[in-house]
Structures are given as structure tokens and as C-alpha cells.
Amino acid sequence: MKIVELVNKISVPITNEEADLLAGFDNNPEILKSELGPRQQILANHLVNKNILRRIKNESGRIAYKKKTS
């Protein structure tokens, strides 16, 4: 288990798997859903539910995930 501090200064516990996925956003600010495996897509949705990631539709109309900044 790891603790992530959100933008509004609230601490949220995340699993090690979620932390590994979140570490991928350090090098790439936006990751397409199609680039993730089935398990990673589930973890990304968990992080969306925990208000850590945002699920967006990019310019080409594809689903992508970004770290929440505000």
C-alpha cells in the first residue's frame, strides 16, 4: 500500500499495482486506454474513481487517462 496526496491535500491509499501504473504517468502525461492491458484498464478506472486520474477524450476522439492536476 502507498499513500498519494491529492491536489486538495487529501491523502488516499492506493495499491502497489495502482502505484506502478501511476508511475507510468511520470514520463508520459497522457496514456491512451488502448495502450493499456485489460488489468491496467481496470486499475486506471479505480484511480479515476479515487479522483487521482482523469478519463478524457483526446483530439482524435480516443479515450485517454491523465493525472489530475486541479
Side-chain angles (χ1 to χ4, degrees):
M1 277 291 207
K2 306 221 186 262
I3 303 293
V4 174
E5 189 171 303
L6 301 178
V7 177
N8 55 2
K9 306 295 182 203
I10 295 175
S11 297
V12 177
I14 61 172
T15 66
N16 290 337
E17 279 184 304
E18 291 169 339
D20 291 342
L21 178 65
L22 197 56
F25 288 89
D26 293 340
N27 300 328
N28 192 357
E30 183 177 292
I31 297 177
L32 293 174
K33 182 178 179 182
S34 60
E35 295 174 356
L36 300 174
R39 177 67 181 158
Q40 290 177 315
Q41 290 179 14
I42 292 169
L43 294 172
N45 284 327
H46 288 175
L47 292 171
V48 169
N49 292 340
K50 291 180 180 183
N51 209 22
I52 297 170
L53 292 181
R54 291 186 314 141
R55 185 176 31 239
I56 60 167
K57 212 176 246 193
N58 64 8
E59 299 84 32
S60 61
R62 299 174 76 187
I63 304 277
Y65 294 98
K66 287 181 105 173
K67 262 186 168 177
K68 195 148 187 161
T69 56
S70 59

